[in-house]
Amino acid sequence: MKAFTYQRADSVTQAATAATKPGAKIIAGGTNLLDLMKLQVETPSQLIDINRLPLDKIEETPEGGLRIGTMVRNSDLAADPRVRQRYGVLSRALLAGASAQLRNKATTGGNLLQRTRCYYFYDVTKPCNKRSPGSGCAALAGFNRIHAILGASDHCIATHPSDMAVAMRALDAKVETVNRQGETTVIPIAKFHRLPGNTPEIETSLKPGEIITAVTLPPPPPGVQVYRKVRDRASYAFALVSVAAIVDSTRGRIRSARLAFGGLAHKPWRVEQAEQRLANASANTASFNAAANAVLEGARGFGGNDFKLPLTRRTLHSVMAETTRT
Amino acid sequence: MDEHESNSEPDAPNTFEVTRRTVIETGATALLLTTLPRAALAAGAIDDNEPLPPPVKVELQINGQPHSLTLDPRTTLLDALREHLALTGSKKGCDHGQCGACTVLIDGRRINSCLTLAAMHDGHAITTIEGLAWGDDLHPLQTAFVEHDGFQCGYCTSGQICSAVGMLAESQQGMPSYVTDDLTQPAAELTDAEIRERMSGNICRCAAYPNIVAAIKQAAGMPT
């Protein structure tokens, strides 16, 4: 690990001010940042610890939603009775991620900001445009079993590893931030994560010194909520494909469906046209296929991850069948 | 000029020849490594020439005992325990939060001590495997692991036991898991599947899993 100075923040604006300095990084749970620092993938010269800031509450909003403080731990968010009752897809997605020890430490904001698990991003001896812009992408012609089939570029085919963010995408969550002037910005989660393009090192729309303070959830949409995660082990593994689904249907007739996918792209993947094809349709193979076609529009495998195309289709079918059963 | 770099000189010994100086230098390096504080080695190689940042003062309450430490900011909680306080019960397996051997309890909650900085836990109460027994009276989970042979090599065991202490507390508080059928119900019954899912952050290379599950069930007062 490279040497760094350690500072505890007394306020959000103080943390934001400190974070604008080159080489400065905010540390919250630290479960991803310290992992990367040990490998010298991340080499901050200054760490600003925000663990003591009072940003760990879950509150009701006047609109009937929830406002989740950025420091709420993943385990506490998953176990919150309001989340379990009204946002089951979020609770289940959180519980699908990492291990209990990591969830006890990992935070809401940190989960959104976690970096890809691409093998070549982690290996500092290999080219990686995300870690070292301009060096190339070793995954394109390398082992790319876990990589993106949608929204990738010639510069980067990494995926975003979060389960939580996929559920938040289906729920249309909003990310609240504060900058060093104390100004609040609200970013829809659809606009929070970016596609790699030719700047894969820029992963979010956050500006330097802009700190996540909360994530707000609108009132829960009607329907059954399901999070399905397909992975190499039954537990404690990242998603190959995951689906956060919120489906409102009666007797085989779909009123509305929301489907967000994990494991497929540099950000949680949601396709409006796929949901339109399901709205007011009969729940059957034809409508599920039509939706899958829309989700996989422009999808492309890179060899090792070709299996993700049929796997996405099958997972969509399975989740739609499950959520429209009654 | 160092004779190892003097290939151009006609009298220079072969680069690969083991000279007396090589032996002495190697010996000196080995001596230096053994006399360096173990903590310095644990912190990893220092490969930049910048001056070291100021150390941080940390007060930790470990197994009921207060400890004052002055640490390099890089020191993980695991290295603080093992290298500065000689509490070597918490093990370093992967050092990346993947194996669970370093699991400790902070204010009763289990975490991976390898993936957190000691400085982040100033003032916190930490329980390690060394703090579970009362004198010679083992913690019920320790007894159960012995009775059910919940280990083979034993390297993961302290992490497994600390993790199980935290897991049973989480279960009693009604926290759900990924395999909990109905998330809207306040408490999930602790089935074998629940125990396995909730303990998935602790890897056992000897695969003592069936016995670990049995030990946890005994400690939880369930039929085994």
Side-chain angles (χ1 to χ4, degrees):
Chain A
M1 218 188 285
K2 292 266 192 182
F4 57 82
T5 56
Y6 171 85
Q7 180 196 346
R8 206 168 285 146
D10 296 321
S11 71
V12 176
T13 48
Q14 188 213 27
T17 305
T20 53
K21 287 187 207 141
K25 272 261 176 197
I26 301 284
I27 187 164
T31 52
N32 188 210
L33 181 57
L34 288 167
D35 180 28
L36 293 167
M37 284 168 66
K38 287 180 181 193
L39 299 166
Q40 300 201 4
V41 175
E42 294 270 16
T43 54
S45 53
Q46 186 184 9
L47 281 189
I48 305 136
D49 181 357
I50 58 167
N51 277 281
R52 313 273 163 138
L53 298 182
L55 301 170
D56 59 350
K57 306 283 183 299
I58 304 173
E59 301 156 315
E60 299 274 355
T61 65
E63 296 78 33
L66 287 180
R67 183 175 183 277
I68 304 152
T70 192
M71 292 306 297
V72 174
R73 308 289 162 170
N74 287 178
S75 51
D76 291 326
L77 183 56
D80 186 275
R82 294 161 294 186
V83 177
R84 286 159 68 179
Q85 291 282 346
R86 286 148 55 188
Y87 303 99
V89 65
L90 177 58
S91 186
R92 190 74 73 183
L94 283 156
L95 293 167
S99 68
Q101 287 97 316
L102 291 167
R103 292 192 295 269
N104 277 340
K105 202 79 171 58
T107 64
T108 308
N111 190 316
L112 288 175
L113 293 175
Q114 67 180 302
R115 314 287 312 268
T116 184
R117 262 58 180 191
C118 171
Y119 323 120
Y120 303 102
F121 173 70
Y122 263 76
D123 182 348
V124 294
T125 68
K126 298 289 184 294
C128 170
N129 288 320
K130 184 184 282 299
R131 172 170 35 75
S132 178
S135 63
C137 172
L140 278 169
F143 289 98
N144 48 34
R145 188 167 182 278
I146 63 171
H147 291 76
I149 57 167
L150 286 159
S153 74
D154 291 344
H155 301 271
C156 180
I157 59 170
T159 55
H160 195 267
S162 173
D163 292 296
M164 180 195 82
V166 178
M168 286 181 170
R169 180 69 186 87
L171 291 164
D172 280 332
K174 291 185 170 69
V175 184
E176 233 178 82
T177 67
V178 166
N179 66 11
R180 63 177 166 169
Q181 282 87 33
E183 296 159 346
T184 301
T185 305
V186 177
I187 308 166
I189 190 142
K191 298 213 164 100
F192 184 78
H193 294 107
R194 293 164 47 114
L195 289 179
N198 53 16
T199 53
E201 72 279 14
I202 305 169
E203 294 170 351
T204 68
S205 55
L206 288 181
K207 296 178 184 75
E210 192 176 1
I211 291 180
I212 300 173
T213 48
V215 172
T216 52
L217 302 178
V224 180
Q225 299 185 15
V226 164
Y227 189 74
R228 178 76 64 86
K229 183 173 182 178
V230 183
R231 46 184 159 174
D232 284 332
R233 297 186 299 231
S235 183
Y236 202 11
F238 291 100
L240 295 168
V241 175
S242 71
V243 186
I246 305 170
V247 180
D248 187 21
S249 73
T250 29
R251 291 193 294 276
R253 191 90 199 155
I254 303 162
R255 273 192 285 269
S256 67
R258 299 183 184 198
L259 298 173
F261 293 81
L264 302 186
H266 204 253
K267 59 189 281 186
W269 199 257
R270 196 170 155 193
V271 179
E272 205 176 309
Q273 208 193 352
E275 297 176 9
Q276 282 169 1
R277 287 184 184 178
L278 290 168
N280 303 310
S282 294
N284 57 31
T285 306
S287 65
F288 300 167
N289 257 335
N293 290 344
V295 170
L296 291 168
E297 174 92 43
R300 167 194 173 191
F302 293 88
N305 64 350
D306 292 352
F307 72 95
K308 284 189 177 184
L309 282 90
L311 185 60
T312 302
R313 183 177 295 276
R314 288 182 192 142
T315 308
L316 184 151
H317 272 259
S318 172
V319 165
M320 285 307 300
E322 180 188 342
T323 52
T324 55
R325 201 169 288 148
T326 51
Chain B
M1 185 185 277
D2 188 300
E3 58 195 66
H4 298 130
E5 297 171 4
S6 57
N7 288 346
S8 57
E9 289 178 30
D11 310 347
N14 186 303
T15 317
F16 301 108
E17 189 181 303
V18 179
T19 63
R20 205 165 60 136
R21 182 179 290 184
T22 319
V23 174
I24 292 167
E25 281 172 354
T26 312
T29 312
L31 185 68
L32 179 69
L33 280 171
T34 50
T35 52
L36 264 175
R38 294 172 72 204
L41 296 175
I46 297 161
D47 58 0
D48 51 16
N49 297 318
E50 288 170 27
L52 281 183
V56 286
K57 283 191 170 14
V58 185
E59 307 281 333
L60 300 174
Q61 186 85 13
I62 300 167
N63 302 326
Q65 298 294 314
H67 293 273
S68 261
L69 296 170
T70 303
L71 299 169
D72 183 309
R74 287 173 288 185
T75 314
T76 61
L77 179 59
L78 177 62
D79 285 337
L81 293 169
R82 290 182 55 84
E83 312 297 343
H84 292 265
L85 297 165
L87 290 167
T88 53
S90 307
K91 301 300 183 205
K92 185 180 279 193
C94 68
D95 209 23
H96 285 276
Q98 297 174 5
C99 75
C102 68
T103 303
V104 301
L105 300 153
I106 299 199
D107 297 321
R109 292 172 65 128
R110 53 181 167 157
I111 65 154
N112 301 108
S113 63
C114 75
L115 279 190
T116 194
L117 298 171
M120 291 159 71
H121 296 285
D122 187 43
H124 289 177
I126 296 151
T127 305
T128 68
I129 189 73
E130 290 93 344
L132 289 182
W134 287 90
D136 288 339
D137 294 332
L138 294 181
H139 185 282
L141 269 160
Q142 291 173 309
T143 305
F145 266 68
V146 172
E147 289 179 3
H148 287 274
D149 212 11
F151 46 83
Q152 193 176 112
C153 81
Y155 197 77
C156 73
T157 311
S158 47
Q160 296 277 2
I161 291 175
C162 284
S163 185
V165 172
M167 185 275 277
L168 291 177
E170 288 162 12
S171 168
Q172 275 167 8
Q173 289 158 18
M175 291 175 91
S177 88
Y178 184 65
V179 300
T180 303
D181 274 341
D182 187 353
L183 292 175
T184 62
Q185 293 304 308
E189 194 191 341
L190 209 55
T191 59
D192 281 23
E194 282 278 356
I195 292 171
R196 285 173 180 275
E197 164 60 27
R198 288 164 189 263
M199 291 295 292
S200 71
N202 291 83
I203 312 292
C204 171
R205 278 202 71 179
C206 309
Y209 299 113
N211 299 4
I212 292 170
V213 172
I216 291 172
K217 287 168 81 173
Q218 174 178 310
M222 299 160 63
T224 54

